[in-house]
Amino acid sequence: RFIRTLISIGVSPASVYTQLEAQQPKLRDAVIKILTAKPVDKLDSPEDREFIKDEIRFAVNKMLHRGEVLQVYFSEFIIQ
């Protein structure tokens, strides 16, 4: 199976984006771990995707020194 996703993150305050840029490899790793831990049938429904967004938000918030992730958006989500 193959999954491709593009994720946008809404944060507060805007200065948090600097922290996210500095930790991009950790961020990608965290998202990959979350997605690969799911069976395919737990990736497909809208409810499952909302749960995944919450998991990503929680994981990223643990990495931040200040500020917080308010929302996670999937701008692309393809499973083949």
Side-chain angles (χ1 to χ4, degrees):
R1 295 298 232 172
F2 173 83
I3 185 169
R4 178 184 168 97
T5 185
L6 292 176
I7 298 171
S8 298
I9 297 176
V11 300
S12 179
S15 61
V16 171
Y17 286 115
T18 305
Q19 288 182 69
L20 295 177
E21 281 293 320
Q23 296 188 43
Q24 195 172 56
K26 282 182 172 180
L27 266 168
R28 288 177 187 243
D29 184 60
V31 170
I32 289 169
K33 284 179 182 176
I34 290 167
L35 293 174
T36 57
K38 306 284 180 212
V40 175
D41 64 327
K42 295 293 183 188
L43 295 171
D44 216 18
S45 77
E47 297 83 16
D48 291 333
R49 290 185 190 179
E50 288 303 314
F51 182 74
I52 293 168
K53 287 178 184 181
D54 287 341
E55 285 185 274
I56 292 170
R57 185 172 48 83
F58 181 74
V60 175
N61 276 330
K62 286 182 9 183
M63 293 180 202
L64 297 176
H65 302 292
R66 58 178 167 36
E68 68 176 319
V69 173
L70 301 175
Q71 191 61 269
V72 174
Y73 304 97
F74 290 125
S75 51
E76 183 175 275
F77 200 99
I78 300 169
I79 303 171
Q80 290 184 334

